[in-house]
Amino acid sequence: MEKAQNNSPLLTDLSNQIKSNQIDSLINRANYKPLVTGNLNANYAPVINGIGYDTAITNGQSVSGLIGINQKIVGKKISDSQAESFKILKESLVLNKKIALKDLSKVIADQYITTYGSAEQIVYNQKMIALLGNGLNTLKKLAQNSIYKQTDYLIFLSTLKQQELQVLQLKQQYQNNLGILNYLSGETDTTFVSLAKPDINLKTISSPEKTIFLKQFEVDSLKIVNQSKLIDNAYKPTLALLGDAGYLSSFEYLPYKNFGFSVGLGMSIPIYDGNQRSLQHQKNEQAVATNLAYKTHFNKQYQQQLLMLNQKLKQTVDTGNQLQSQLQITDALIEADKKLLLSGDAQITDFVIAIGNVITLNNSISQNKINKLLLINEINYWISND
């Protein structure tokens, strides 16, 4: 999981988006600070033979070197609303990152469980090979002494070879599953390794309404509320303090005295824009209703999903108990057949059928365990908030 997290471009992207949002917030704050600019201009408009620009307008020539200051006057509610926009966006990005992390962890855990299940089946089937091998050696000696037919020996040998082929295929399946696990983790590795038994326990849900998946609808609701504030803020008067200081001269009269400054005040008042403000609020009301509909629908599906998963988990436990009960009976039959084999009284076909049943039951038990772990992992995915 650590490798998958480190190699995930999606998680990297979301982390960088969070950092970028923080920078955007700082840029927004900088807009509230005074804007200072330096301007240097020189202009000459000659009049030749009475032809040229009106000197009353151009003064013939001018030179200016000014430092200008523009300070926006923004109310606290406006600045707070804009700051809240970045805060909500950050919450949304952090939430998306948590969900992406949950999704990735679930995929890795599922594949780990599946891969481990292949390894566990190898162990069971190798035990059956050992059992068949011991029985084959005994049967060979008994066949040489004409206690059993040669065909009995060949039937047993054929069963052993089939089991060896089964183990080979399971090893190949395990190696392929291991390759998929590395692929999902973003690793390039074909090493054949043994996996530890997955330690996955069923978690308890404390507050269903606080699940991370429902949190997304809360964030969307906050976005809509904040959008309404931003709409209202756009229709408030805006003020700006203006000022400059420096040198401005036409060189017509005492140019060395033309140093000075100026101050001013600018105001913008929205008057009429075709009732767009009301229309935008109507759109927001529709967005609120849509968000509530999605939240209600998701909550119903969420509850149904948990009910179904817990039902499947109970069914898996019941199936596991039944399989264990059948295995005890089949194991007892195998032990009885082994004793009969030594005395020459065993029916080889019955013995082979019993061994086949044991193999089938062990594989079913293994698959049932894997299904149980996968269900637990699925339930934990939905109920955990980390």
Side-chain angles (χ1 to χ4, degrees):
M1 288 185 180
E2 290 178 1
K3 289 180 179 179
Q5 292 170 21
N6 293 332
N7 293 329
S8 171
L10 176 59
L11 293 179
T12 301
D13 180 18
L14 290 170
S15 296
N16 290 336
Q17 286 188 49
I18 292 171
K19 294 176 183 178
S20 180
N21 177 69
Q22 293 172 341
I23 295 173
D24 288 339
S25 178
L26 294 175
I27 293 173
N28 181 66
R29 290 183 186 180
N31 287 330
Y32 301 144
K33 297 178 181 180
L35 175 62
V36 181
T37 57
N39 298 287
L40 179 62
N41 294 290
N43 182 62
Y44 175 60
V47 178
I48 302 173
N49 296 327
I51 299 175
Y53 291 147
D54 189 343
T55 55
I57 298 174
T58 66
N59 292 319
Q61 63 277 328
S62 66
V63 173
S64 65
L66 302 173
I67 295 177
I69 300 177
N70 187 328
Q71 173 64 64
K72 293 180 181 179
I73 301 176
V74 180
K76 188 175 185 303
K77 289 184 177 180
I78 294 177
S79 61
D80 287 348
S81 297
Q82 292 178 337
E84 188 178 359
S85 298
F86 292 101
K87 180 182 177 182
I88 294 172
L89 179 57
K90 181 182 178 181
E91 289 181 9
S92 178
L93 290 170
V94 170
L95 182 62
N96 289 340
K97 184 179 178 181
K98 287 182 178 179
I99 293 176
L101 185 59
K102 280 172 66 71
D103 291 342
L104 183 61
S105 297
K106 179 183 178 298
V107 169
I108 295 296
D110 281 349
Q111 184 59 31
Y112 189 100
I113 293 169
T114 301
T115 306
Y116 177 79
S118 300
E120 194 172 55
Q121 285 184 317
I122 292 173
V123 174
Y124 287 141
N125 283 273
Q126 283 177 332
K127 289 181 179 179
M128 290 300 101
I129 288 178
L131 174 63
L132 286 167
N134 292 332
L136 184 66
N137 292 331
T138 302
L139 185 59
K140 183 178 180 180
K141 295 176 182 179
L142 294 173
Q144 288 173 348
N145 295 327
S146 300
I147 298 176
Y148 284 102
K149 298 176 182 179
Q150 187 69 22
T151 52
D152 292 333
Y153 171 78
L154 293 175
I155 290 173
F156 216 86
L157 178 62
S158 175
T159 304
L160 174 60
K161 293 301 179 183
Q162 288 177 1
Q163 190 61 23
E164 289 175 344
L165 176 60
Q166 177 72 11
V167 169
L168 176 62
Q169 291 173 335
L170 285 171
K171 286 182 178 180
Q172 292 170 345
Q173 180 182 345
Y174 174 74
Q175 194 165 18
N176 292 335
N177 286 336
L178 196 60
I180 295 174
L181 185 59
N182 282 315
Y183 170 80
L184 294 173
S185 303
E187 292 293 304
T188 304
D189 193 354
T190 57
T191 307
F192 193 93
V193 297
S194 298
L195 298 181
K197 183 179 180 180
D199 184 16
I200 299 178
N201 298 309
L202 186 63
K203 298 180 180 179
T204 56
I205 182 169
S206 54
S207 302
E209 69 281 357
K210 293 183 179 181
T211 176
I212 191 172
F213 299 104
L214 288 174
K215 182 71 175 176
Q216 192 164 1
F217 297 103
E218 295 178 13
V219 174
D220 289 341
S221 178
L222 291 174
K223 284 182 182 179
I224 297 170
V225 172
N226 182 251
Q227 183 63 30
S228 293
K229 294 179 182 178
L230 295 176
I231 291 171
D232 291 334
N233 291 339
Y235 288 87
K236 293 179 179 179
T238 57
L239 289 173
L241 288 175
L242 308 173
D244 58 43
Y247 181 78
L248 179 62
S249 176
S250 66
F251 294 100
E252 291 292 326
Y253 179 74
L254 300 177
Y256 64 91
K257 290 186 176 181
N258 295 146
F259 292 93
F261 68 90
S262 69
V263 294
L265 179 67
M267 175 180 286
S268 175
I269 304 175
I271 296 177
Y272 180 73
D273 66 351
N275 203 31
Q276 292 184 35
R277 181 180 183 179
S278 175
L279 295 173
Q280 289 176 355
H281 277 301
Q282 289 179 37
K283 283 181 63 178
N284 262 15
E285 291 173 2
Q286 298 301 318
V288 169
T290 300
N291 186 57
L292 179 60
Y294 273 115
K295 181 181 179 180
T296 303
H297 181 69
F298 175 84
N299 195 38
K300 290 179 179 179
Q301 287 193 321
Y302 176 78
Q303 298 297 334
Q304 180 65 17
Q305 176 85 335
L306 289 181
L307 288 173
M308 290 170 59
L309 288 172
N310 281 287
Q311 178 178 281
K312 288 181 179 179
L313 182 60
K314 182 180 181 303
Q315 291 170 350
T316 304
V317 172
D318 293 340
T319 300
N321 293 335
Q322 187 65 30
L323 287 170
Q324 288 291 345
S325 177
Q326 292 182 21
L327 183 61
Q328 291 178 359
I329 298 172
T330 310
D331 281 341
L333 181 59
I334 289 289
E335 290 300 319
D337 281 335
K338 285 166 64 177
K339 294 177 181 179
L340 290 174
L341 180 64
L342 293 174
S343 63
D345 296 324
Q347 294 293 325
I348 299 303
T349 52
D350 292 342
F351 193 13
V352 169
I353 291 173
I355 291 176
N357 289 337
V358 168
I359 295 171
T360 300
L361 282 171
N362 274 317
N363 287 334
S364 296
I365 290 171
S366 175
Q367 188 59 54
N368 192 69
K369 288 180 180 178
I370 298 309
N371 290 340
K372 180 181 177 181
L373 290 175
L374 289 172
L375 284 169
I376 291 174
N377 190 48
E378 178 82 11
I379 294 172
N380 289 343
Y381 168 80
W382 287 108
I383 67 175
S384 64
N385 290 326
D386 50 12

Coordinates of all heavy atoms in Angstrom, one line a residue, residues 129-163:
I129 N -0.8 -34.0 -2.7 CA 0.3 -34.7 -3.5 C 1.1 -35.7 -2.6 O 1.4 -36.8 -2.9 CB 1.2 -33.7 -4.2 CG1 0.4 -33.1 -5.3 CG2 2.5 -34.4 -4.7 CD1 1.3 -32.0 -6.1
A130 N 1.4 -35.2 -1.4 CA 2.2 -36.0 -0.4 C 1.3 -37.2 0.0 O 1.9 -38.3 0.1 CB 2.5 -35.2 0.8
L131 N 0.0 -37.0 0.2 CA -0.8 -38.1 0.6 C -0.9 -39.1 -0.5 O -0.8 -40.4 -0.3 CB -2.2 -37.6 0.9 CG -3.3 -38.6 1.2 CD1 -3.0 -39.4 2.4 CD2 -4.7 -37.9 1.4
L132 N -1.1 -38.7 -1.8 CA -1.2 -39.6 -2.9 C 0.2 -40.3 -3.1 O 0.2 -41.5 -3.5 CB -1.6 -38.8 -4.2 CG -3.0 -38.3 -4.2 CD1 -3.2 -37.3 -5.4 CD2 -4.0 -39.5 -4.5
G133 N 1.3 -39.6 -2.9 CA 2.6 -40.2 -3.1 C 2.8 -41.3 -2.1 O 3.3 -42.4 -2.5
N134 N 2.4 -41.1 -0.9 CA 2.6 -42.2 0.1 C 1.7 -43.4 -0.2 O 2.1 -44.5 -0.1 CB 2.2 -41.6 1.5 CG 3.2 -40.6 2.0 OD1 4.4 -40.7 1.6 ND2 2.8 -39.7 2.9
G135 N 0.5 -43.1 -0.6 CA -0.5 -44.1 -1.0 C 0.0 -44.9 -2.3 O -0.1 -46.1 -2.3
L136 N 0.6 -44.1 -3.2 CA 1.1 -44.8 -4.4 C 2.3 -45.7 -4.1 O 2.3 -46.8 -4.7 CB 1.6 -43.7 -5.4 CG 2.0 -44.2 -6.8 CD1 0.8 -44.8 -7.5 CD2 2.7 -43.0 -7.6
N137 N 3.2 -45.4 -3.2 CA 4.3 -46.2 -2.9 C 3.8 -47.5 -2.2 O 4.2 -48.6 -2.5 CB 5.3 -45.5 -1.9 CG 6.0 -44.4 -2.6 OD1 6.2 -44.4 -3.8 ND2 6.4 -43.4 -1.8
T138 N 2.8 -47.4 -1.4 CA 2.2 -48.5 -0.7 C 1.5 -49.4 -1.7 O 1.6 -50.7 -1.7 CB 1.2 -48.1 0.4 OG1 1.9 -47.3 1.3 CG2 0.6 -49.3 1.1
L139 N 0.7 -48.8 -2.6 CA -0.1 -49.5 -3.6 C 0.9 -50.2 -4.6 O 0.6 -51.3 -5.0 CB -1.0 -48.5 -4.4 CG -2.0 -49.2 -5.4 CD1 -2.9 -50.2 -4.7 CD2 -2.8 -48.1 -6.1
K140 N 2.0 -49.6 -4.9 CA 3.0 -50.2 -5.8 C 3.5 -51.6 -5.3 O 3.6 -52.6 -6.0 CB 4.1 -49.3 -6.1 CG 5.1 -49.8 -7.1 CD 6.2 -48.8 -7.4 CE 7.2 -49.3 -8.4 NZ 8.3 -48.3 -8.7
K141 N 3.8 -51.5 -4.0 CA 4.3 -52.8 -3.4 C 3.2 -53.8 -3.3 O 3.5 -55.0 -3.6 CB 4.8 -52.5 -1.9 CG 6.0 -51.5 -1.9 CD 6.4 -51.2 -0.5 CE 7.6 -50.2 -0.4 NZ 8.0 -49.9 0.9
L142 N 2.0 -53.4 -3.0 CA 0.9 -54.4 -2.9 C 0.6 -54.9 -4.3 O 0.2 -56.1 -4.4 CB -0.3 -53.7 -2.3 CG -0.1 -53.3 -0.8 CD1 -1.3 -52.5 -0.3 CD2 0.0 -54.5 0.1
A143 N 0.7 -54.1 -5.3 CA 0.4 -54.6 -6.7 C 1.5 -55.5 -7.1 O 1.2 -56.5 -7.8 CB 0.3 -53.4 -7.6
Q144 N 2.7 -55.3 -6.7 CA 3.8 -56.2 -7.1 C 3.6 -57.6 -6.4 O 4.0 -58.6 -6.9 CB 5.1 -55.6 -6.6 CG 5.6 -54.5 -7.5 CD 6.8 -53.8 -7.0 OE1 7.2 -54.0 -5.8 NE2 7.4 -52.9 -7.8
N145 N 2.9 -57.6 -5.3 CA 2.6 -58.8 -4.6 C 1.2 -59.3 -5.0 O 0.7 -60.2 -4.3 CB 2.6 -58.6 -3.1 CG 4.0 -58.3 -2.6 OD1 5.0 -58.7 -3.1 ND2 4.1 -57.4 -1.5
S146 N 0.6 -58.8 -6.1 CA -0.6 -59.2 -6.6 C -1.8 -59.0 -5.7 O -2.9 -59.7 -5.8 CB -0.5 -60.7 -7.1 OG 0.5 -60.8 -8.0
I147 N -1.7 -58.2 -4.7 CA -2.8 -57.9 -3.8 C -3.8 -57.0 -4.5 O -5.0 -57.1 -4.3 CB -2.3 -57.3 -2.4 CG1 -1.4 -58.3 -1.7 CG2 -3.5 -56.9 -1.6 CD1 -0.8 -57.8 -0.5
Y148 N -3.2 -56.0 -5.2 CA -4.0 -55.1 -6.1 C -3.7 -55.3 -7.5 O -2.6 -55.7 -7.9 CB -3.8 -53.6 -5.6 CG -4.5 -53.3 -4.4 CD1 -3.8 -53.2 -3.2 CD2 -5.9 -53.0 -4.3 CE1 -4.4 -52.8 -2.0 CE2 -6.5 -52.7 -3.1 CZ -5.8 -52.6 -2.0 OH -6.4 -52.3 -0.8
K149 N -4.6 -54.9 -8.4 CA -4.4 -55.0 -9.8 C -3.5 -53.9 -10.3 O -3.4 -52.8 -9.6 CB -5.7 -54.9 -10.6 CG -6.7 -56.1 -10.3 CD -8.0 -55.8 -11.0 CE -9.0 -56.9 -10.7 NZ -10.3 -56.7 -11.4
Q150 N -2.8 -54.1 -11.4 CA -2.0 -53.1 -12.0 C -2.8 -51.9 -12.4 O -2.3 -50.8 -12.3 CB -1.3 -53.7 -13.2 CG -0.2 -52.7 -13.8 CD 1.0 -52.6 -12.9 OE1 1.3 -53.4 -12.1 NE2 1.7 -51.5 -13.1
T151 N -4.1 -52.1 -12.8 CA -4.9 -51.0 -13.2 C -5.2 -50.1 -12.0 O -5.4 -48.9 -12.1 CB -6.2 -51.5 -13.8 OG1 -6.8 -52.5 -12.8 CG2 -6.0 -52.2 -15.1
D152 N -5.3 -50.7 -10.8 CA -5.5 -49.9 -9.6 C -4.4 -49.0 -9.4 O -4.5 -47.8 -9.0 CB -5.7 -50.8 -8.3 CG -7.0 -51.6 -8.4 OD1 -8.0 -51.1 -9.0 OD2 -7.0 -52.7 -7.8
Y153 N -3.2 -49.5 -9.6 CA -2.0 -48.7 -9.4 C -2.0 -47.5 -10.5 O -1.6 -46.4 -10.1 CB -0.7 -49.5 -9.6 CG 0.6 -48.8 -9.7 CD1 1.2 -48.2 -8.5 CD2 1.2 -48.5 -10.9 CE1 2.3 -47.5 -8.6 CE2 2.4 -47.8 -11.0 CZ 2.9 -47.3 -9.9 OH 4.1 -46.6 -9.9
L154 N -2.4 -47.8 -11.7 CA -2.4 -46.8 -12.7 C -3.4 -45.7 -12.5 O -3.2 -44.6 -12.8 CB -2.6 -47.5 -14.1 CG -1.5 -48.4 -14.6 CD1 -1.9 -49.1 -15.9 CD2 -0.2 -47.6 -14.8
I155 N -4.6 -46.2 -11.9 CA -5.6 -45.2 -11.6 C -5.1 -44.2 -10.5 O -5.2 -43.0 -10.6 CB -6.9 -45.9 -11.1 CG1 -7.6 -46.6 -12.2 CG2 -7.8 -44.9 -10.4 CD1 -8.7 -47.5 -11.7
F156 N -4.4 -44.8 -9.6 CA -3.8 -43.9 -8.5 C -2.7 -43.0 -9.0 O -2.6 -41.8 -8.7 CB -3.2 -44.8 -7.4 CG -3.4 -44.3 -6.0 CD1 -4.6 -44.6 -5.3 CD2 -2.5 -43.5 -5.4 CE1 -4.8 -44.1 -4.0 CE2 -2.6 -43.0 -4.1 CZ -3.8 -43.3 -3.4
L157 N -1.9 -43.6 -9.9 CA -0.8 -42.8 -10.5 C -1.4 -41.6 -11.3 O -0.9 -40.5 -11.3 CB 0.1 -43.7 -11.4 CG 1.2 -43.0 -12.1 CD1 2.2 -42.3 -11.1 CD2 1.9 -44.0 -13.0
S158 N -2.5 -41.9 -12.1 CA -3.1 -40.9 -12.9 C -3.7 -39.8 -12.1 O -3.6 -38.6 -12.4 CB -4.2 -41.5 -13.8 OG -4.9 -40.5 -14.5
T159 N -4.2 -40.1 -10.9 CA -4.8 -39.1 -10.0 C -3.7 -38.2 -9.5 O -3.8 -37.0 -9.3 CB -5.5 -39.8 -8.8 OG1 -6.5 -40.7 -9.4 CG2 -6.1 -38.8 -7.9
L160 N -2.5 -38.9 -9.1 CA -1.4 -38.1 -8.6 C -0.9 -37.1 -9.7 O -0.6 -35.9 -9.4 CB -0.2 -39.1 -8.2 CG 1.1 -38.4 -7.8 CD1 0.9 -37.5 -6.6 CD2 2.2 -39.5 -7.5
K161 N -0.8 -37.5 -10.9 CA -0.3 -36.7 -12.0 C -1.3 -35.5 -12.2 O -0.8 -34.4 -12.5 CB -0.1 -37.5 -13.3 CG 1.0 -38.5 -13.2 CD 2.4 -37.8 -12.9 CE 3.5 -38.9 -12.8 NZ 4.8 -38.2 -12.5
Q162 N -2.5 -35.8 -12.1 CA -3.5 -34.7 -12.3 C -3.4 -33.7 -11.2 O -3.5 -32.5 -11.4 CB -4.9 -35.3 -12.2 CG -5.3 -36.1 -13.5 CD -6.7 -36.7 -13.4 OE1 -7.4 -36.5 -12.3 NE2 -7.1 -37.4 -14.4
Q163 N -3.1 -34.2 -10.0 CA -2.9 -33.3 -8.8 C -1.6 -32.4 -9.0 O -1.6 -31.3 -8.6 CB -2.8 -34.1 -7.5 CG -2.9 -33.2 -6.3 CD -4.2 -32.4 -6.2 OE1 -5.2 -32.7 -6.8 NE2 -4.1 -31.3 -5.5

